[in-house]
């Protein structure tokens, strides 16, 4: 129903404004060192259990769901593809971040996932982690580095991507099931309390 420019969202679903951002050349960036005790490492062939664990811990507050709905075979096909590169940040041997760069489309790199767990948020590591993402992306023969974020993500995400050198290009509306209602993809009603549930 359309009323004065508003659209109803069906019960049990979430509406998100998705912003698509692009970078067409490597920006001038200042290298930022990680704080002591935090190390960056490449994860060359992550197990499905490792990937799902870090994906959940990084993305639960923002209702990341897409990879949690994939079968083992479909998820493995993505994260074990040699053109997909995965990195993490470790604290005392515990992995607490996810950076996934997807080079499967020739000439481009998608910043598929980027995030920190609560253990690292506010520790000043996001800038260094993004600098690494930019360096790795533009070391390949690409002409486009892109990312998208949505209104379910951290309120700081869009401005962070812009400060990193990405330019917003367009917006779209995405409507998806609210997995918290039926407890699918491992979500409960306690996840993302900042997002209301309508069922």
């Amino acid at each position: 129903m359309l009323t004065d420019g508003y659209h109803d969202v069906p019960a049990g679903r979430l509406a998100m404004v998705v912003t698509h951002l692009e970078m067409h050349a490597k920006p001038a960036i200042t290298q930022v060192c990680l704080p002591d005790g935090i190390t960056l490492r490449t994860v060359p062939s992550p197990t499905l259990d490792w990937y799902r664990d870090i994906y959940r811990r990084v993305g639960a507050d923002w209702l990341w769901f897409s990879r949690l709905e994939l079968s083992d075979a479909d998820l493995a096909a993505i994260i074990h593809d040699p053109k997909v590169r995965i990195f993490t940040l470790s604290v005392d041997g515990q992995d607490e971040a996810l950076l996934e760069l997807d080079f499967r489309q020739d000439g481009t790199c998608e910043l598929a996932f980027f995030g920190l767990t609560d253990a690292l948020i506010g520790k000043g590591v996001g800038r260094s982690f993004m600098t690494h993402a930019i360096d790795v992306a533009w070391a390949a023969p690409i002409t486009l580095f892109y990312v998208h974020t949505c209104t379910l993500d951290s309120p700081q995400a869009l401005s962070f991507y812009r400060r990193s050198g990405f330019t917003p290009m367009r917006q779209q509306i995405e409507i998806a099931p609210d997995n918290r209602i039926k407890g699918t993809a491992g979500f409960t009603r306690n996840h993302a309390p900042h997002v209301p549930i309508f069922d």
Side-chain angles (χ1 to χ4, degrees), residues 4-66:
D4 296 331
Y6 294 99
H7 296 266
D8 285 339
V9 177
R13 301 182 77 81
L14 294 167
M16 298 151 272
V17 177
V18 179
T19 301
H20 300 262
L21 302 100
E22 297 181 357
M23 184 186 293
H24 293 271
K26 184 178 180 180
I29 52 178
T30 301
Q31 297 295 325
V32 180
C33 294
L34 288 169
D36 291 342
I38 299 175
T39 57
L40 185 151
R41 72 180 186 93
T42 304
V43 187
S45 185
T47 66
L48 298 183
D49 286 345
W50 178 91
Y51 184 90
R52 286 180 172 133
D53 172 68
I54 195 68
Y55 184 94
R56 286 181 194 278
R57 289 191 293 115
V58 169
D61 285 343
W62 319 114
L63 298 180
W64 288 9
F65 63 89
S66 59

Side-chain angles (χ1 to χ4, degrees), residues 2 8-10 17 25 37 58 91 129 144 147 153 187:
L2 176 63
D8 285 339
V9 177
V17 177
V58 169
V91 184
F129 206 30
L144 172 64
V147 64
D153 282 337
F187 287 102

Side-chain angles (χ1 to χ4, degrees), residues 64-97:
W64 288 9
F65 63 89
S66 59
R67 292 293 169 80
L68 300 177
E69 296 179 333
L70 297 178
S71 68
D72 287 357
D74 288 343
L75 179 58
I78 296 171
I79 66 174
H80 295 159
D81 190 300
K83 292 185 177 182
V84 173
R85 301 191 62 187
I86 296 173
F87 305 87
T88 191
L89 297 174
S90 300
V91 184
D92 298 326
Q94 176 69 42
D95 296 327
E96 300 288 357

Side-chain angles (χ1 to χ4, degrees), residues 113-130:
F113 292 100
F114 180 94
L116 313 172
T117 70
D118 289 343
L120 288 183
I121 291 175
K123 297 294 196 304
V125 302
R127 175 60 51 205
S128 178
F129 206 30
M130 177 58 75

Side-chain angles (χ1 to χ4, degrees), residues 100-118:
E100 183 175 330
L101 298 174
D102 188 338
F103 294 91
R104 288 178 296 170
Q105 183 176 343
D106 289 344
T108 72
C109 177
E110 179 186 5
L111 180 58
F113 292 100
F114 180 94
L116 313 172
T117 70
D118 289 343

